[in-house]
Amino acid sequence: MGKGKHRTPQRTDWGEVAEWYDQLVGEAGSEYHRQVVLPGVLRLLAPRAGQKILDIGCGQGVLCRLLADRGVEVTGIDAAEELIRVARQRGPQSIRYHVADARKLDFLPAAHFDAATCVLAIQNIHPLPPVFAGVSRALRDGGRLVLVMMHPCFRGPRETSWGWDQAGQVQFRRVDRYLTPRKSPIVMHPGADPGTYTWTFHRPIESYVKALRNAGMVIDAMQEWPSHKHSTSGPRAHAENVARREIPMFLAIRAFKLPASVWRQLSPEVASADASSSSESHEAH
């Protein structure tokens, strides 16, 4: 690349495939949203009427609408203008939507929100520290963040897969790589349109823990959610069901914002060291 020329950053939001994504997720979410993810988020979030909740990477507003139905004052943020347009069309008008970069949340009022969520979106955002720093700034002391992602240990694109033992009796999950941060293209229409894709970023769990801690947040809950699906017939049905129960699809984390005075007292030196030597610095760009 010649001097003075700059490569246009690859979009990692879902705007360029908004129509496909909206058909997949729909008004109330995909099957996994409805059966596993959204019920789990509501359990961890425990929203109450009148609370102010921020949804980061809100897409077309599936979770925002659920929260609004419970009397929550909802603000949704997504980088894809196309998806925000769909969210606004579906209403209700009480939800505040913004087209914005999750890494640049300084336009939000400080210490304003009771809680925040980021559901199946954090793996499309790089780097992590600005996101969690922005969320921490926007949350009041004691405010909580609920984060949900495809499980980094078992659902790494191109690096994990299902397999069977030689006897065909045990289904296992093969993991070829885990600790090394990396990015992978997600092709929307394999074969038909290989040029339409977005990026997903794999990170080990420790990267999320460090980034949250460095943002002044402490994890108080972590849950691993398996698939809800169940095989009812065939010689391998039992083995498939065992594998589904034992190998989770999703990882959920809940973290609370500590008061600044408490955070400084707990971890001033370690937080500073981690901020400069985080494994995020080794991620491929």
Side-chain angles (χ1 to χ4, degrees):
M1 184 178 297
K3 184 180 293 186
K5 295 183 179 180
H6 300 281
R7 180 180 299 170
T8 302
Q10 171 68 38
R11 287 181 62 170
T12 63
D13 62 71
W14 299 87
E16 293 183 352
V17 292
E19 183 177 354
W20 169 85
Y21 186 69
D22 188 49
Q23 291 175 355
L24 174 69
V25 175
E27 174 75 19
S30 68
E31 182 180 357
Y32 282 113
H33 280 92
R34 297 190 305 271
Q35 298 295 327
V36 181
V37 175
L38 295 175
V41 168
L42 292 176
R43 287 194 302 270
L44 284 172
L45 191 61
R48 298 193 304 274
Q51 289 187 324
K52 299 177 177 66
I53 297 182
L54 172 68
D55 186 22
I56 298 166
C58 65
Q60 61 275 71
V62 173
L63 177 57
C64 290
R65 289 189 290 275
L66 275 181
L67 294 174
D69 288 343
R70 287 159 171 77
V72 171
E73 296 182 27
V74 190
T75 298
I77 291 175
D78 201 284
E81 181 179 358
E82 301 87 342
L83 292 177
I84 291 294
R85 186 182 306 119
V86 173
R88 286 173 174 156
Q89 289 171 352
R90 287 186 170 147
Q93 293 186 354
S94 62
I95 301 174
R96 299 180 182 90
Y97 286 111
H98 299 277
V99 178
D101 189 330
R103 299 163 298 184
K104 301 176 182 179
L105 299 178
D106 52 355
F107 69 95
L108 295 171
H112 178 75
F113 294 94
D114 298 289
T117 57
C118 186
V119 178
L120 298 179
I122 196 65
Q123 290 173 184
N124 297 106
I125 305 172
H126 173 81
L128 286 178
V131 182
F132 293 156
V135 171
S136 182
R137 175 188 169 276
L139 287 176
R140 62 171 179 79
D141 288 348
R144 61 206 179 278
L145 167 66
V146 173
L147 186 68
V148 180
M149 66 194 80
M150 298 301 291
H151 204 300
C153 297
F154 307 109
R155 299 284 168 171
R158 303 187 178 189
E159 306 295 345
T160 64
S161 59
W162 288 111
W164 290 89
D165 69 344
Q166 290 185 349
Q169 300 297 312
V170 176
Q171 189 177 34
F172 60 84
R173 191 74 176 169
R174 173 172 170 163
V175 178
D176 293 326
R177 296 174 65 189
Y178 170 68
L179 281 176
T180 303
R182 61 190 180 274
K183 71 176 185 179
S184 303
I186 302 297
V187 178
M188 300 299 107
H189 309 285
D193 184 13
T196 302
Y197 64 95
T198 187
W199 291 105
T200 184
F201 298 91
H202 166 82
R203 312 169 179 97
I205 294 172
E206 69 175 38
S207 294
Y208 295 95
V209 175
K210 289 180 180 179
L212 285 167
R213 187 186 64 187
N214 290 345
M217 305 189 73
V218 60
I219 295 171
D220 85 312
M222 184 179 294
Q223 297 182 357
E224 297 167 293
W225 301 334
S227 172
H228 65 290
K229 294 189 176 182
H230 185 80
S231 298
T232 58
S233 61
R236 291 184 169 181
H238 175 71
E240 290 170 347
N241 290 331
V242 169
R244 286 195 188 102
R245 289 196 305 268
E246 294 296 331
I247 302 175
M249 287 191 70
F250 306 101
L251 175 66
I253 295 172
R254 185 176 65 195
F256 283 81
K257 177 183 177 179
L258 294 172
S261 58
V262 175
W263 171 234
R264 285 193 297 267
Q265 183 179 0
L266 283 177
S267 190
E269 296 180 2
V270 177
S272 177
D274 279 349
S276 61
S277 62
S278 169
S279 61
E280 279 280 304
S281 63
H282 301 293
E283 289 197 22
H285 291 272

